[in-house]
Amino acid sequence: MTRRVPERAEVVIVGGGIAGCSVAYHLTKLGISDIVLLERKQLTCGTTWHAAGLVTQLRATRNMTELAKYTGELFHSLGPETGQETGFKQNGALRLAKSPDRLEELLRGASMGRNFGLEMHAVSPAEIKERWPLLNLEDILGGVWAPKDGQVNPADVTQAFAKGARMGGAKIIENLQVDRILVERGRAVGVATNEGNIRAKKVVVCGGMWSREFAAKQRVSLPLHAAEHFYVVTEPIGDLPRELPVLFVTDEEAYYKEDAGKLLVGCFERDAKPWARDGIPPEFCFDSLPEDFDHFERILDMAVKRVPALANAGIQLFFNGPESFTPDNRYLLGETSEVSGLFTACGFNSVGILSSGGIGKALAFWIKEGHAPVDLADVDVVRMQPFQSNKTYLYDRTKEVLGLLFDMHWPYRQYATARNVRQGVFHDRLKALGAVMTEAAGWERPGYFSLDGKAKEIEYSYGRQNWFDIVGQESRNAAGKVALFDQSCFVKYMVDGRDACAVLSRICANNVNVPVGKLVYTQCLNERGGIEADITVTRIAEDSYLVVTAATSQTRDLVWLRRNTPDEARAFIRDVTSGLPMLGLMGPSARPLLERLSGCDLSNSAFPFASSQEIEIGYAKLRASRVTYVGELGWELYVPAEFAAHVFDRVVEAGADYGLSHAGYFALGSMRMEKGYRHWGHDIGPEDTPYQAGLGFAVKLEKPEGFIGREALLRQKEQGPLRRRLVQLRMVEPDAPLVYHQEPIWANGRLVGSVTSGAYGHRVRASLGMGYVENDDGVDASFLSASQFEIEVAGRRHKAIAQFAAQYDPSNSKILA
């Protein structure tokens, strides 16, 4: 057999769908031409060829929206550049609402989109009829019009990417099987094919629905699962306008697209059909799946009522094809946690076409520069947990996530499938006490406690949900008495060894070379000064530290610590989360309660804030750390798992005399918002520096050993006043709407930023948020006091107050009491 593959390449890409071809194209644009793209069969033969080709731009964050906008712009120019037409048509998109809740969702999205630079307009039923005359609008309340959205031919645009990549020097080889990734010393060094090995500096997995099984050969977790996706194409409809906008009627789980005088009607149904649980057939190529008219009939019945012309139109094609979905409905992008130099772009949840240009551009930059061009934490593959590659888990979750594309995107919405995956030691006790469980990173944890049996299930809305008053009482009890929080899902690492201090000193911006028993709040920075992790570090011995972070950062932060630990260092990092449950005992009565339980002196002089000691409760020895995430006097109790239930029972029994109540994560979220405590992934991330985030107090520039990111922070300080800073926001009106994320922030009639996170503050009785604001002359106290701030919610602006200080107890008198 003639060998077609070279022996070496700078980058090898596995997979010839639109993602792989886009990555190859964009790598050549960055000057990397020594690229080999390998496709097992033919380009587009997996999922790309049968995609609907919808091109919409609004995504959940500004950075993701910018990448989607770039994709649309690229589709305009790619055809003329390569000579391969893409079929891109910018005919706009309409989104319709049948209910007030859906209309509010659309209007909130339009406000967010305009803040991101998108053209989006609220439209009345009459205006909808003008743009889509075939519609029955008798139950439609309104909608949103996005004129820059459109549609494209997926196969054509993929061929254009491929042609552009070849023009830039890339080599594309079809009908070649890649057997596995070559890994040496934890790093990808090439691939093995049926025509020989290719050595490479970087490897990229763009294998679509094949990616999970392919990566698993090297114990790399890429959690995704295929699901059946249905649409029909009618026979030609004589009076069908050729420039109809793309139409979304998400209340009916359906979308519509004009296609050469025919109408394509597809759906994202709430109860989907996972496919190929035991693996994709090896010969699958340009194949479709068996028709299932019974499954699609409900959608089609609603479609005929919505577009009466369908009643007389024949069906030319009933199509069923597989697409891949991830457990959280966000795709997998970036460098894998298990293998350095191994990148991926897969699991696109039916938004691969509209994301293709942006993901190709972003990943190409990532491969060349070693970091993402912008904050892409939402889609970074290292956010995933290893257990999420479990086949049964993925099968069950996929039934739900396909439909989430069109389901209501409620605040606090909880997954209904693949639940009760990770249960802490206290789970059954908490359920018996009335806990209504929510989920994060697979952990079951109390959202709130239904003491009277009411509000056992969340009733979703954009306003005050049915647990609102319950959470208010939990918060007030923590402020006035004492509350117990199950914080077992918080992630804990042990860093041990003679070089533990030196390694953490280099990784952490704050000074962790502190006396034994001292707790330090710190950030881990990248070389640009951006925040990669937000952690507490407790020195428990001269050569041993306890590092604590958030549940959702478990994989990410461990990777960051390990990859920034020199190979020669005598420092060993272990994840001990499962063996060390944690309880938060918070409130003014926490001290006397804990003194009674432990027999210890817990006064300020004996046990100051930000210190940690071993104490005894009952028959157990545990670690108590005086720190808080809710802004009250309190301790975090780290208990060995085998003693945890015993300690819990002792605390609850003794707590009855001190008014102890149980509190959940909705209260914790409300209280941390009142205190302005940042949440990584929302309020801080890789593109935010500690100075911009108001965390300069946790930076020690004078540390003799220096730290990663120090030089970038020094440069930022030399540049003068910061033009972008995080502020605390408080809605002025007593009945102001709740804010959640990405609501536009106005100052003196000018858009200056957006909300990063929000919640109602029960201790201060106001709707709160925080977010970054920008001002060319600097964001300082004088700018805040001289500006009239407003927050836009669903197209309406509401007065707000912006400040740097916390809304609750800004002097920290309570936590230092």
Side-chain angles (χ1 to χ4, degrees), residues 42 73 137 289 333 352 460 488 580 612 648 693 721 780 799 811:
Q42 295 171 257
E73 294 163 358
L137 295 171
L289 304 179
L333 189 69
Y460 296 114
S488 298
L580 200 60
S612 182
F648 179 90
D780 55 17
K799 292 182 180 179
S811 67

Side-chain angles (χ1 to χ4, degrees), residues 709-726:
R710 179 177 181 272
E711 289 73 19
L713 295 189
L714 286 171
R715 289 193 297 270
Q716 188 172 73
K717 292 198 75 171
E718 292 169 358
Q719 292 171 358
L722 294 172
R723 62 181 301 272
R724 175 178 179 268
R725 292 186 67 180
L726 188 71

